[in-house]
Amino acid sequence: MKKLLGFLTSIVVTGSTASAVVACGGEDSTSINQGKTNATTDFKLTDIVKVKNAGTDINQLILSAAIKEGRLKDDISLNILDITDQKNNEYPTANGQKRDGYLVLTFRDDPLIRYTGVITIRFTIVKEATFDITQEVNLGSEYFDVTEYQYNSGQGLDIFIWERVLEKGLEKDAPTDKSAYDFSKITFPPENKLANTSWVLKCNDNANKPGVTYSGEITVTFNWVWYQADIEVSLPAVNNVPNFEQAIWSAVKDKMDGVNNFKFSDQYQNYDIAWEQIKEPSFGDSTSFNILAKPKPNQGDFSLIHIIGKINKDAIAMPTDSIGPIEIEITLKDKSNIDQIINEIWNKTLVLLNDYNLPLLPDFNIFNISSWKTDILNNWPELGLWQTFTLKAINNNSDRRFRGDLTVNVKLLSLGFFERINLTERLNLSVDEIKDQEKVLDKLWSILINEQEWKNAQVSNDRSKYDINYDDIQKAINRSNLLDLPVDYDAVIISKPEANIEKDVEVRLTGVLKVIK
């Protein structure tokens, strides 16, 4: 009967098709009927109508919600309306249970009311309730090994603990979705120590649903432990260190010895380890690594280990004793090219270094040898003699692969012939020959190269390669010519610097000459 009355009333008072005027908040001249605004409209509330208390005026709550959403003007109230139809506009009986309904409101036929028509408000109503889910959950005496979660910066640990919580069970109809709780930042206990902790998980807005609000917190108490080995490994200066993995594993064993509750296998083959992430450093260098050693299935009940390590590889040490002696044969012309001598010394040094079984030979430029040129010149031997001395190569530490200085013993051998030769054959010169210096020198040279001492020297017989001091010979010729007697003479024969000969020569020549008249 109420529905029929509302329908008939709607027909009588409308007389117009305008139904959205009230919702838009304006008046259209076409909706005016005998001085009244047609406010007929039919809509559904966007928001759910929430009821907290049993004494709440449900109809007023619904109308206020419509005005708040802008569906009706704020001067419309229940004082000018009659309820002509309704469904579920009453206090819900169950917490959080949603019910759909409608409310039909008809404007009263009163000259003082400026509206006419029927308002139909459709709604969903729910009884709002708040639940305090505060409780404690103790996960028992078992110690959880959380090494893998610590290695992964805590990722996944919240899921692991929450699963244990659900296994224990929650009370007070607490939400079981993990997202309903705020997991505080995870702070791990010190490594290698059994510890007890409590996590306070506060309920957040994600737990709420229409009409139901949760509050409170869950305190989760449990035991945990994680294992970590911080190690430093020193490797010898050799290529491809043998038993590289075992050297690392031995360091882990030494570090973890005596740790409570830790189960360790001496065999690294019983673990899954990303060895490819561990790089052997070059000589004199170091590398770092951060890996997880995870026991292989069916290999034994062993603990996980987070390994943080540093690997140092020794630099190649230069020999502490002196290298050599290195023999270098020289001539006078080599004085103008000391760099060539230095290169020869270095090349021979590298050959001798091979005897020390070094894994790698150093480059010349990693040493400071600025003093070598002066040292070589200061120790230049006289013709036909040798000089032994020490050269120091100072490591300038520009290449970390090598450490230490080099000491090289050098023996410079002068490929020279220095001798005093007394010619046994007299130099006889005619009056015509003494006028020609070349003829005199030819005869002198012929006598010299037949001397046994000259032959033993194994030097060049080409006179053009030598300078002969003729001044003293000329003086002797003059005296012999004047006195008509044999006289002694001296001469100095020196090889020319530009001459391409294997030995430098300096001969102090003495003899007797006679000008034959």
Side-chain angles (χ1 to χ4, degrees):
M1 185 65 184
K2 287 183 178 180
K3 289 184 180 181
L4 179 61
L5 178 60
F7 177 71
L8 293 174
T9 305
S10 174
I11 295 176
V12 172
V13 300
T14 53
S16 169
T17 61
S19 62
V21 176
V22 177
C24 296
E27 295 180 0
D28 191 331
S29 59
T30 60
S31 66
I32 303 298
N33 185 11
Q34 297 179 353
K36 293 192 176 191
T37 301
N38 183 5
T40 297
T41 183
D42 188 330
F43 59 86
K44 179 174 175 58
L45 292 177
T46 302
D47 295 331
I48 295 175
V49 179
K50 300 176 182 179
V51 184
K52 291 184 178 181
N53 303 314
T56 301
D57 186 337
I58 305 298
N59 297 326
Q60 181 61 52
L61 193 63
I62 295 171
L63 182 62
S64 297
I67 294 173
K68 184 178 180 180
E69 289 186 9
R71 305 297 187 92
L72 299 174
K73 287 191 173 184
D74 56 10
D75 62 345
I76 296 177
S77 68
L78 290 178
N79 295 330
I80 60 174
L81 293 164
D82 288 324
I83 300 174
T84 54
D85 198 1
Q86 58 193 339
K87 179 182 179 182
N88 288 334
N89 58 332
E90 56 192 16
Y91 186 69
T93 57
N95 291 328
Q97 182 181 1
K98 293 186 291 184
R99 300 173 65 185
D100 293 329
Y102 59 85
L103 186 64
V104 179
L105 303 171
T106 304
F107 287 98
R108 295 173 185 168
D109 186 13
D110 188 328
L112 299 178
I113 299 174
R114 70 188 196 100
Y115 297 109
T116 185
V118 177
I119 299 172
T120 302
I121 304 174
R122 305 180 190 278
F123 58 85
T124 300
I125 192 169
V126 65
K127 181 182 179 182
E128 193 171 24
T130 300
F131 295 97
D132 184 355
I133 53 88
T134 299
Q135 57 191 287
E136 293 185 5
V137 178
N138 191 319
L139 299 184
S141 60
E142 177 186 358
Y143 277 85
F144 299 123
D145 185 342
V146 296
T147 302
E148 186 168 7
Y149 299 110
Q150 188 277 335
Y151 173 76
N152 292 315
S153 302
Q155 183 177 357
L157 179 57
D158 53 348
I159 298 174
F160 172 79
I161 296 299
W162 188 247
E163 289 174 349
R164 306 290 85 72
V165 169
L166 295 182
E167 289 173 1
K168 282 289 183 179
L170 293 173
E171 301 174 349
K172 303 182 180 181
D173 293 326
T176 57
D177 194 329
K178 187 179 75 69
S179 64
Y181 302 90
D182 291 327
F183 282 75
S184 59
K185 184 178 180 181
I186 298 172
T187 302
F188 286 88
E191 69 270 22
N192 306 328
K193 294 184 182 298
L194 303 176
N196 177 269
T197 190
S198 293
W199 284 6
V200 178
L201 310 179
K202 191 173 182 179
C203 205
N204 59 36
D205 291 341
N206 292 332
N208 299 335
K209 53 187 178 181
V212 178
T213 303
Y214 293 96
S215 65
E217 57 196 26
I218 297 175
T219 302
V220 183
T221 302
F222 59 93
N223 302 311
W224 58 348
V225 65
W226 62 282
Y227 300 106
Q228 178 173 302
D230 295 283
I231 63 172
E232 188 165 353
V233 180
S234 294
L235 301 178
V238 297
N239 286 319
N240 300 320
V241 175
N243 300 320
F244 175 65
E245 293 86 354
Q246 187 59 52
I248 294 174
W249 200 245
S250 295
V252 173
K253 179 180 179 181
D254 292 342
K255 184 69 176 182
M256 300 304 291
D257 186 38
V259 174
N260 289 334
N261 250 31
F262 181 69
K263 290 165 285 187
F264 183 74
S265 171
D266 291 340
Q267 305 298 318
Y268 65 81
Q269 294 87 349
N270 289 331
Y271 296 80
D272 284 323
I273 300 173
W275 290 110
E276 69 278 3
Q277 296 182 18
I278 305 177
K279 307 299 181 183
E280 181 177 336
S282 59
F283 301 107
D285 209 344
S286 62
T287 56
S288 298
F289 63 90
N290 186 336
I291 61 171
L292 180 70
K294 196 171 183 178
K296 292 180 179 178
N298 304 319
Q299 294 296 319
D301 184 21
F302 304 122
S303 301
L304 287 86
I305 320 168
H306 181 189
I307 307 173
I308 298 177
K310 182 180 181 182
I311 304 175
N312 304 311
K313 191 168 186 177
D314 293 342
I316 301 171
M318 294 296 97
T320 55
D321 56 333
S322 298
I323 297 174
I326 294 173
E327 293 189 358
I328 305 294
E329 296 179 345
I330 58 171
T331 60
L332 284 174
K333 64 179 172 32
D334 293 327
K335 267 192 172 182
S336 62
N337 193 3
I338 299 297
D339 288 340
Q340 180 176 332
I341 296 176
I342 291 175
N343 286 334
E344 186 177 355
I345 292 173
W346 180 251
N347 289 333
K348 289 186 175 182
T349 299
L350 290 179
V351 173
L352 293 179
L353 282 175
N354 281 320
D355 296 335
Y356 289 86
N357 295 319
L358 300 180
L360 186 68
L361 293 178
D363 291 330
F364 196 24
N365 57 12
I366 75 168
F367 296 99
N368 181 352
I369 57 164
S370 58
S371 64
W372 280 23
K373 188 170 186 179
T374 301
D375 292 340
I376 291 172
L377 290 173
N378 289 341
N379 289 279
W380 199 271
E382 294 183 2
L383 288 176
L385 302 178
W386 68 86
Q387 184 69 32
T388 301
F389 57 98
T390 299
L391 293 176
K392 192 86 169 182
I394 307 299
N395 194 328
N396 57 28
N397 299 316
S398 60
D399 189 339
R400 67 179 65 186
R401 297 177 298 174
F402 301 92
R403 61 180 174 86
D405 304 329
L406 271 177
T407 303
V408 184
N409 287 334
V410 177
K411 184 178 182 180
L412 289 184
L413 299 173
S414 173
L415 295 179
F417 176 61
F418 178 82
E419 196 64 61
R420 292 182 182 275
I421 300 178
N422 183 43
L423 296 179
T424 56
E425 181 182 346
R426 191 174 77 176
L427 176 60
N428 293 318
L429 300 169
S430 68
V431 175
D432 290 334
E433 287 175 334
I434 64 175
K435 296 176 182 178
D436 188 336
Q437 178 176 319
E438 286 300 313
K439 288 184 178 180
V440 174
L441 292 178
D442 282 343
K443 293 189 74 172
L444 176 64
W445 192 256
S446 177
I447 295 172
L448 172 63
I449 62 176
N450 285 300
E451 289 286 335
Q452 191 60 43
E453 290 176 282
W454 181 269
K455 291 179 180 179
N456 292 341
Q458 297 182 345
V459 294
S460 175
N461 289 334
D462 186 353
R463 186 170 72 81
S464 66
K465 294 183 177 182
Y466 301 89
D467 286 325
I468 303 175
N469 184 354
Y470 194 72
D471 290 344
D472 289 339
I473 296 174
Q474 184 64 58
K475 290 177 182 178
I477 290 173
N478 292 339
R479 288 200 309 275
S480 177
N481 190 33
L482 178 64
L483 299 174
D484 196 19
L485 294 172
V487 298
D488 296 331
Y489 67 90
D490 294 315
V492 178
I493 301 175
I494 301 176
S495 55
K496 294 178 180 179
E498 67 275 10
N500 186 21
I501 59 176
E502 295 180 356
K503 289 184 179 181
D504 295 314
V505 175
E506 183 177 343
V507 175
R508 302 288 180 171
L509 194 64
T510 60
V512 177
L513 65 78
K514 174 71 172 63
V515 177
I516 307 298
K517 295 181 180 180

